Amino acid sequence: MLSTETVTLFFAVSLGLALSPGPDNVFVLAQSAMNGRRAGLMVTLGLCTGLLVHSAAVAFGVAAVIKNTEYGFFIIKLFGAAYLSYLALHLFGAQAMTLGQSQTAVRSARLYRRGIVMNLTNPKVAIFFLAFLPQFTDPEKGSVTIQLLALGAVFIVTTALVFGVIAWFSGFLRERLFDSPRAQHVLNRTAAVFVCGAGG
């Protein structure tokens, strides 16, 4: 039900967001640098599992609002555009992060659970999904629930790819990207442009 153009645009925006330095990818990087690639991949798997829950919650929640409220979808998209504009401003002015701001190392057996808990207990993720995903849907093209689930799947795959690459090449990224405030500012501002475009 989603056009190729919509999926391509959504993938590009998701890619920019996943690359923008934040607590999740810095945590993946730190764990990979300290405990090896497997540790970073386990955190990534946990984070993506949490995103599955958020995707389902938003998909079925938005569908319920549309069903029970005449202007529900319009209100959701309006809220989403406003929130994404705020997020873009925040990204544009964000300060560079350091690996010291990430959480301390934990045993590999607990990293998957840590990733799930980190994601599910972060209310900003739920708000972001509620604001972000509906911007790329169209009720006239079929079930909004299915469209949202499909977009959630694309976002999860994108996140897994980017975070997986971060875990795999943690040494290079640590030296060339996350330890470079200039590189972080460029990524944050690029992501801000993508987010602002999605909110429009």
Side-chain angles (χ1 to χ4, degrees), residues 20-107:
S20 181
D24 287 347
N25 52 21
V26 170
F27 184 63
V28 170
L29 175 63
Q31 291 301 323
S32 299
M34 291 185 292
N35 301 312
R37 293 169 178 166
R38 178 181 173 82
L41 293 173
M42 291 303 293
V43 174
T44 298
L45 185 59
L47 291 168
C48 289
T49 301
L51 290 176
L52 281 172
V53 177
H54 285 298
S55 296
V58 169
F60 292 106
V62 170
V65 170
I66 294 172
K67 181 178 179 180
N68 297 314
T69 309
E70 183 178 359
Y71 300 104
F73 190 68
F74 172 76
I75 293 171
I76 287 173
K77 295 198 74 168
L78 189 62
F79 158 78
Y83 179 75
L84 291 175
S85 297
Y86 162 78
L87 183 60
L89 289 174
H90 176 75
L91 283 168
F92 193 81
Q95 298 297 313
M97 298 184 68
T98 66
L99 290 175
Q101 291 174 273
S102 64
Q103 301 185 34
T104 57
V106 295
R107 292 182 179 276

Side-chain angles (χ1 to χ4, degrees), residues 170-193:
S170 58
F172 173 81
L173 290 171
R174 180 187 180 110
E175 295 173 2
R176 304 294 183 183
L177 181 60
F178 286 87
D179 280 352
S180 169
R182 180 178 177 81
Q184 290 192 37
H185 284 309
V186 170
L187 285 172
N188 282 332
R189 291 180 178 182
T190 301
V193 172

Side-chain angles (χ1 to χ4, degrees), residues 118-160:
M118 281 178 62
N119 192 270
L120 292 180
T121 57
N122 185 354
K124 291 182 179 179
V125 177
I127 295 173
F128 171 74
F129 260 54
L130 181 60
F132 185 51
L133 268 61
Q135 305 300 320
F136 295 86
T137 60
D138 184 351
E140 296 182 358
K141 294 183 178 179
S143 170
V144 172
T145 302
I146 294 177
Q147 291 181 59
L148 288 169
L149 289 173
L151 291 169
V154 172
F155 189 88
I156 291 168
V157 169
T158 306
T159 300

